[in-house]
Amino acid sequence: KFERFWIKLSFGLIAFFIASVIYGFVSMDLKVVGDYQTIDPQNLGETEFAKTGVREVTKNGQTEYEVYVKTMQFAFQPGTASPIVVPANTRVTFYITSPDVLHGFDLAGTNINTMAIPGQVAKLTTIFPEPREYGIVCNEYCGPAHHIMEGKVKVV
Ligand code: CUA
């Protein structure tokens, strides 16, 4: 009786691996422009990071979005407690920094992937082509709860 369970489990695992390989192939290559700027990690309260989150801005007469994100042990702010919500087909620039230790900011299934470094602001600009949800994962070891550090971006 138990054997059946294990057979089912192993078929399930094989299906899962195949699915994840296919998912890897269809993962999105977004157009991303990025760079780093320096910042004083002790004084984020006196910078744009005093108020994290999504902002609508107008640049050259166009509506764009800026997203200020702090990565912290062990949450993305915003992203973890509440999702980052941005529209599709609109230019979105992420500004990401860390007040504590090195973290990662990786939108699973895309090439949006950067380190979040204390003292540096990672800047990434992209346009999401369609409404979709993306998981955010921290891919740099940042402490005992690193593995549960995750969040969500909701493209609407
Ligand atoms: Cu934050 Cu790992």
Side-chain angles (χ1 to χ4, degrees), residues 19-32 105-114 126-130 132-139 151-153 155:
S20 49
V21 168
I22 291 168
Y23 182 75
F25 279 129
V26 299
S27 84
M28 229 187 284
D29 251 342
L30 297 163
K31 211 170 169 219
V32 185
F105 181 94
D106 182 5
L107 285 203
T110 77
N111 53 336
I112 295 193
N113 183 3
T114 185
T126 193
I127 296 172
F128 294 102
E130 58 187 19
R132 206 189 126 168
E133 281 191 13
Y134 297 94
I136 315 169
V137 291
C138 176
N139 56 11
K152 196 178 277 180
V153 170
V155 179

Side-chain angles (χ1 to χ4, degrees), residues 72-74 102-104 138-143 146-147 149:
M72 292 174 292
Q73 288 167 320
F74 295 95
L102 181 68
H103 297 275
C138 176
N139 56 11
E140 296 290 338
Y141 182 76
C142 55
H146 158 71
H147 61 287
M149 182 168 169

Side-chain angles (χ1 to χ4, degrees), residues 1-147:
K1 314 271 155 25
F2 256 127
E3 282 158 27
R4 251 192 214 162
F5 168 76
W6 287 113
I7 290 166
K8 272 186 193 158
L9 182 73
S10 49
F11 274 113
L13 281 174
I14 290 164
F16 173 76
F17 288 134
I18 292 170
S20 49
V21 168
I22 291 168
Y23 182 75
F25 279 129
V26 299
S27 84
M28 229 187 284
D29 251 342
L30 297 163
K31 211 170 169 219
V32 185
V33 181
D35 64 43
Y36 283 96
Q37 303 155 350
T38 56
I39 196 168
D40 178 359
Q42 308 301 324
N43 283 311
L44 294 184
E46 286 153 37
T47 71
E48 297 278 5
F49 289 94
K51 197 173 172 296
T52 53
V54 181
R55 291 172 212 174
E56 191 182 308
V57 293
T58 305
K59 279 183 192 164
N60 310 319
Q62 295 259 21
T63 301
E64 299 187 6
Y65 288 82
E66 292 180 343
V67 187
Y68 285 84
V69 183
K70 281 197 281 192
T71 62
M72 292 174 292
Q73 288 167 320
F74 295 95
F76 298 98
Q77 185 198 308
T80 298
S82 57
I84 295 169
V85 182
V86 290
N89 295 307
T90 311
R91 189 187 280 268
V92 176
T93 302
F94 292 93
Y95 295 90
I96 302 151
T97 196
S98 170
D100 49 37
V101 300
L102 181 68
H103 297 275
F105 181 94
D106 182 5
L107 285 203
T110 77
N111 53 336
I112 295 193
N113 183 3
T114 185
M115 286 194 284
I117 306 167
Q120 305 257 326
V121 179
K123 182 183 168 191
L124 291 174
T125 300
T126 193
I127 296 172
F128 294 102
E130 58 187 19
R132 206 189 126 168
E133 281 191 13
Y134 297 94
I136 315 169
V137 291
C138 176
N139 56 11
E140 296 290 338
Y141 182 76
C142 55
H146 158 71
H147 61 287

